[in-house]
Amino acid sequence: MGERKGVNKYYPPDFDPAKHVSLNKYRNSHPLRERARKLSQGILIIRFEMPYNIWCDGCKNHIGMGVRYNAEKKKVGNYYTTPIYRFRMKCHLCVNYIEMQTDPANCDYVIVSGAQRKEERWDMQDNEQILTTEHEEKKKLETDAMYRLEHGTVDQSKLQRAIPTLSNIQEAQSAWKDDFAINSMLRRKFREEKKILQEEEEKDLALQTKANLSIPLVQETEEDRRLAALLKYHSLDSYEDKQKLKRTEISGRSWFPPAQAAAGKATNTLKKLGLAGKALPPKALTGGSHIAIGHLGIVRRKSREGPESLRSAGESMEHGARTGGQSCDSAARGTPQQSSPMADSDILLAEGTASTSCSVSLSSSLVADYSNSSSDSEVD
């Protein structure tokens, strides 16, 4: 410590080694600095270590053996030529001060004030520990031959009883006798485990990179492998088969719209005219001859004439509708005198087409005005 403090020190210009001898004398300071601030009172501050477990009288807390304190050390007496020192320190848990002093007679420490010793004493004979031979017994063994013989016999009987236990202890210690071999074996085991862990970490990192995962992976177990072997995930068709099936479906599809699209033209026409809520009855869509005035979307306007003229106009409208339906039917079927050599199926197909076109023409009629006319030809 002194050599370390004496290295690389700054010596002022007026420092004279012959006069000042050292820097401490030049500065009029003690080498222990703050620890020697009460040296004039015979007190030196040192680091004191608690020699045994105690209970603090101030806070009633337990202070374990080995706890260190800054204690004030001073000499309070002598035991023959051995000085007795007293140590005064403050508890780190409260404001209580603890005082202890040395006991050279019993090679121990004694608590003077501020604490109580935690008693952990036992009888060495009851604890089967080796007892130290007392001075009187040692003197008797040296002078009395019969006592020495009896004492040796008792010791031999104790040895015979302790031989099995000692053999077990020696056998257990022999396995740990060669420290180098045990250390080498332990380090070899650690290297193998570290290599395995590194390989598993690389596999997990590769799997996380491939699957774009950011969650940590756990280690596989035998139960996980058995459960994974029981599960089978497979697709019925591959991607190529699905694409081939889709192309076949597209190539086999008809270029023309289905038959239901012709029947839906009337509905589309009504939607364009804003009459989607007033749909035609099934008979009108299938080419029926009876069509009411309300189904054609005709709006009656008020006339200057009375209700009689309105009634006659409605009747003429119904008569014209019937006549128009019959004309459509006759146009589709043809006159009875002009027969066609077509087959029955072709005739039915022509009738269906004519009826559909006739119904579409009737449903797409505009609003009629009956205010100034009542003739059937004008309505048509």
Side-chain angles (χ1 to χ4, degrees):
M1 182 65 74
E3 294 178 358
R4 183 183 65 81
K5 289 185 176 181
V7 176
N8 297 329
K9 295 293 184 179
Y10 171 73
Y11 291 90
D14 57 345
F15 175 76
D16 187 4
K19 178 180 178 182
H20 300 105
V21 181
S22 66
L23 288 174
N24 292 325
K25 289 185 178 180
Y26 173 79
R27 296 169 180 166
N28 295 325
S29 62
H30 195 272
L32 298 179
R33 309 298 171 152
E34 291 296 325
R35 294 182 176 233
R37 63 179 181 272
K38 295 184 179 180
L39 196 60
S40 60
Q41 305 175 15
I43 298 174
L44 180 64
I45 299 175
I46 63 168
R47 291 291 288 176
F48 180 79
E49 186 174 336
M50 195 63 63
Y52 42 74
N53 297 326
I54 64 172
W55 298 96
C56 179
D57 289 343
C59 57
K60 305 300 180 183
N61 287 318
H62 175 265
I63 300 176
M65 180 177 60
V67 180
R68 295 180 180 181
Y69 295 94
N70 291 331
E72 297 179 357
K73 174 186 173 183
K74 65 180 179 179
K75 183 179 178 181
V76 294
N78 290 318
Y79 176 74
Y80 295 104
T81 57
T82 305
I84 299 174
Y85 294 103
R86 181 171 294 181
F87 308 94
R88 185 173 184 269
M89 66 209 82
K90 180 179 174 296
C91 176
H92 67 286
L93 300 173
C94 62
V95 297
N96 182 46
Y97 279 88
I98 302 172
E99 292 187 3
M100 303 180 69
Q101 69 181 22
T102 58
D103 185 8
N106 299 317
C107 299
D108 200 358
Y109 288 88
V110 179
I111 298 176
V112 178
S113 62
Q116 295 180 1
R117 182 170 182 170
K118 184 179 180 181
E119 296 293 339
E120 292 180 344
R121 301 178 184 179
W122 58 86
D123 190 357
M124 299 181 66
Q125 187 174 1
D126 295 340
N127 201 27
E128 298 182 357
Q129 291 183 351
I130 299 176
L131 301 175
T132 57
T133 306
E134 296 181 0
H135 180 70
E136 295 179 358
E137 187 175 357
K138 185 184 293 185
K139 185 177 181 181
K140 193 174 182 179
L141 287 173
E142 293 175 355
T143 57
D144 193 347
M146 293 299 296
Y147 183 77
R148 184 170 61 252
L149 180 61
E150 293 175 357
H151 193 274
T153 305
V154 174
D155 291 343
Q156 289 294 331
S157 62
K158 288 182 179 179
L159 177 62
Q160 294 297 326
R161 291 194 301 269
I163 282 177
T165 305
L166 294 175
S167 301
N168 294 334
I169 294 173
Q170 290 177 356
E171 184 178 359
Q173 289 179 348
S174 62
W176 305 93
K177 188 174 182 179
D178 192 356
D179 298 340
F180 178 77
I182 295 173
N183 190 14
S184 300
M185 181 175 62
L186 184 62
R187 290 173 65 86
R188 190 182 309 111
K189 182 180 178 182
F190 284 162
R191 284 195 296 268
E192 293 176 357
E193 292 180 354
K194 185 177 180 180
K195 186 177 181 181
I196 295 173
L197 291 175
Q198 188 174 2
E199 292 177 356
E200 293 178 354
E201 185 177 356
E202 291 177 357
K203 291 181 181 178
D204 294 344
L205 183 60
L207 181 59
Q208 288 178 344
T209 305
K210 182 178 179 181
N212 195 16
L213 296 175
S214 60
I215 58 176
L217 303 179
V218 298
Q219 298 295 331
E220 293 183 0
T221 59
E222 189 63 29
E223 183 67 19
D224 296 338
R225 296 189 185 96
R226 187 183 66 83
L227 183 60
L230 297 176
L231 300 177
K232 292 183 179 179
Y233 299 99
H234 61 87
S235 178
L236 297 177
D237 298 326
S238 63
Y239 177 76
E240 291 77 9
D241 296 340
K242 291 181 180 179
Q243 292 295 327
K244 187 176 181 181
L245 181 62
K246 192 172 182 180
R247 293 191 189 97
T248 305
E249 182 184 354
I250 293 174
S251 61
R253 189 184 301 167
S254 177
W255 291 3
F256 301 100
Q260 291 79 3
K265 290 182 179 180
T267 307
N268 296 333
T269 306
L270 292 175
K271 288 182 179 180
K272 291 179 180 179
L273 295 174
L275 304 174
K278 302 177 181 180
L280 295 176
K283 291 183 178 181
L285 294 176
T286 56
S289 59
H290 179 72
I291 300 176
I293 298 175
H295 298 313
L296 297 176
I298 298 174
V299 179
R300 295 181 180 178
R301 295 181 180 177
K302 292 182 180 182
S303 178
R304 300 174 185 176
E305 301 176 1
E308 299 294 337
S309 62
L310 294 177
R311 191 179 301 112
S312 61
E315 292 175 356
S316 62
M317 180 60 192
E318 291 180 3
H319 178 67
R322 293 191 189 97
T323 306
Q326 293 173 1
S327 63
C328 289
D329 294 339
S330 61
R333 296 188 183 92
T335 57
Q337 292 79 11
Q338 298 176 359
S339 61
S340 176
M342 291 190 302
D344 296 338
S345 60
D346 297 334
I347 295 172
L348 293 176
L349 178 60
E351 289 177 358
T353 308
S355 62
T356 305
S357 61
C358 185
S359 61
V360 171
S361 62
L362 291 175
S363 61
S364 61
S365 61
L366 300 176
V367 177
D369 187 5
Y370 296 98
S371 59
N372 297 324
S373 64
S374 60
S375 62
D376 297 338
S377 61
E378 292 178 357
V379 173
D380 294 334

